[in-house]
Amino acid sequence: MTADVIIIGGGVAGLSAACFLSEFAQVTLLEREPALATQSSARTAGQFTAGISANTMRALAAASRAFFQAPPPGFCEQTLVAPRGCLTVGREEHRPVLDRLMARLQEAGSDCRFVDRQEALDLFPALRPERVHAGVFEADAMDIDVDLLLQSYRKAAAANGARFVCKAEVTSIRRIADTWQVTAGDRTVSAPVLVNAAGAWADRIADLAGVPALGLKAFRRSAFTFPLHRQDAGVWPHVTTADYTWYAHPQPHGFTASPAEADPVSPGEVYADDLRLAEAIHHIGIDTELAVPRPSASWAGLRTFAPDRNPVCGGFPDHPGYFVSAGQGGCGVLTSPAMGRALAALVAGRNLPGDLSACGITQDQLAPERFLQA
């Protein structure tokens, strides 16, 4: 089998890459799981926020907002996002944290404001007044329909002729002349361009390809669901604490919550940590009047970070035709429009799209070379 571009990884990084690359190239995507996007991409709360501490990640979120609000014609039939709002609350000693968050949001062009105790309680009535001194409200934070987004990336790529091969674990990668040959199962795919979008496994794929690893690290994030506190809670904002001991995200039929942990793990299947869930439930009980007698369901996903906590997108001068899109650190869904378009531009040898540059994103900020310099 031959192609113009081979993508390894069928999560949101790979699917968004396939969507935008397929506009000018024949793409074949290889995914080792039985179906696409079964790992961390499908285990997210689906929140769009620009309140991200890593600067390039934050800029990529800002550059993705317009895509979510007005996707290209024909990309999807329904809206991708819905209003939600994001409230971060803290006690008096957390004011420096809230100040930094406010500065980040303003830098990203978000509609945000400081709120006092009463407004925080009006926005999220289950908060205990004695546990809230002030907060920051990101009014234009949104819910992302993650399933619709992933399916729309896949459909757009398929309409352009992209091929998706599941149950295709990569076992061998060789560079022969000007072609990458990737063996997965009983098939070999050849192409001049190889895109490593394997998430937590990206450094393992790099090793197979004979390309320097980037020092990517995977961290577990546990999550659980519990019933709504009351009927109107479904329209409350996403809420988190300034000390990041928990967050709760209202859904139509219940809350998705998390201890917001980042515990280092090896890449692989991960499961919710019961002790971490118990800690979150304890803190939620202290900070709110929400009753969590027992989680309705629980799960975990991987958040993969580069050493500087910013994403990696680009090629390697010493390894022609090899590109990587990785290290989105749990923000892969909300930054995927900008990351996918950036990757497509770099593979095509073009400058980054103008709207990305306008957000302050540069090729050097994304380049994997930043980790290879002595």
Side-chain angles (χ1 to χ4, degrees), residues 64-73 75-76 80-81:
S64 296
R65 184 189 297 274
F67 182 97
F68 284 119
Q69 293 178 322
F75 182 75
C76 56
L80 284 171
V81 291

Side-chain angles (χ1 to χ4, degrees), residues 301-314:
L302 295 175
R303 299 161 60 87
T304 304
F305 289 93
D308 64 0
R309 312 290 283 187
N310 274 308
V312 188
C313 182

Side-chain angles (χ1 to χ4, degrees), residues 124 226 236-240 246-250 255-258 284 290:
F124 201 94
F226 64 95
W236 293 354
H238 175 105
V239 67
T240 188
W246 61 272
Y247 71 71
H249 189 93
F255 287 99
T256 295
S258 172
I284 290 172
L290 297 174

Side-chain angles (χ1 to χ4, degrees), residues 19-20 35 55 88 149 247 271 290 316 323 343 366 369:
C19 173
F20 297 110
N55 59 334
T88 302
L149 176 68
Y247 71 71
Y271 303 92
L290 297 174
F316 291 68
F323 294 82
L343 178 69
L366 297 172
E369 289 178 86

Side-chain angles (χ1 to χ4, degrees), residues 76-313:
C76 56
E77 296 180 0
Q78 296 86 31
T79 56
L80 284 171
V81 291
R84 170 61 60 189
C86 178
L87 175 65
T88 302
V89 295
R91 298 183 295 280
E92 190 165 2
E93 64 267 28
H94 297 136
R95 185 59 190 237
V97 177
L98 297 175
D99 287 342
R100 289 193 293 271
L101 172 60
M102 186 69 173
R104 293 196 299 266
L105 289 169
Q106 290 175 329
E107 178 186 280
S110 296
D111 178 4
C112 54
R113 65 180 185 271
F114 284 113
V115 297
D116 59 16
R117 175 187 287 117
Q118 187 55 57
E119 187 172 2
L121 295 175
D122 291 343
L123 289 165
F124 201 94
L127 291 167
R128 295 187 187 275
E130 68 274 15
R131 300 292 293 176
V132 179
H133 175 73
V136 170
F137 182 55
E138 183 184 2
D140 54 0
M142 302 175 287
D143 285 345
I144 303 171
D145 188 329
V146 178
D147 183 64
L148 177 61
L149 176 68
L150 295 171
Q151 291 298 329
S152 297
Y153 280 144
R154 183 193 63 79
K155 289 178 181 178
N160 291 329
R163 296 175 296 217
F164 301 93
V165 184
C166 295
K167 297 183 181 178
E169 183 170 2
V170 174
T171 55
S172 172
I173 302 175
R174 296 187 298 166
R175 179 75 172 175
I176 300 176
D178 295 330
T179 301
W180 290 98
Q181 290 192 354
V182 179
T183 299
D186 59 355
R187 72 184 71 212
T188 297
V189 186
S190 301
V193 174
L194 172 62
V195 173
N196 180 353
W201 293 264
D203 274 352
R204 294 184 183 178
I205 295 300
D207 288 340
L208 286 176
V211 176
L214 299 175
L216 299 168
K217 302 294 184 183
F219 298 85
R220 184 191 60 238
R221 170 64 55 87
S222 302
F224 62 98
T225 57
F226 64 95
L228 289 175
H229 176 68
R230 63 193 206 196
Q231 190 172 5
D232 64 343
V235 299
W236 293 354
H238 175 105
V239 67
T240 188
T241 55
D243 56 2
Y244 218 45
T245 52
W246 61 272
Y247 71 71
H249 189 93
Q251 307 278 10
H253 305 294
F255 287 99
T256 295
S258 172
E261 90 276 26
D263 295 332
V265 293
S266 297
E269 185 62 59
V270 290
Y271 303 92
D273 183 295
D274 289 341
L275 178 59
R276 290 295 197 179
L277 298 187
E279 291 173 349
I281 292 170
H282 171 71
H283 286 296
I284 290 172
I286 291 175
D287 292 333
T288 78
E289 297 175 354
L290 297 174
V292 191
R294 184 174 182 177
S296 307
S298 63
W299 65 93
L302 295 175
R303 299 161 60 87
T304 304
F305 289 93
D308 64 0
R309 312 290 283 187
N310 274 308
V312 188
C313 182

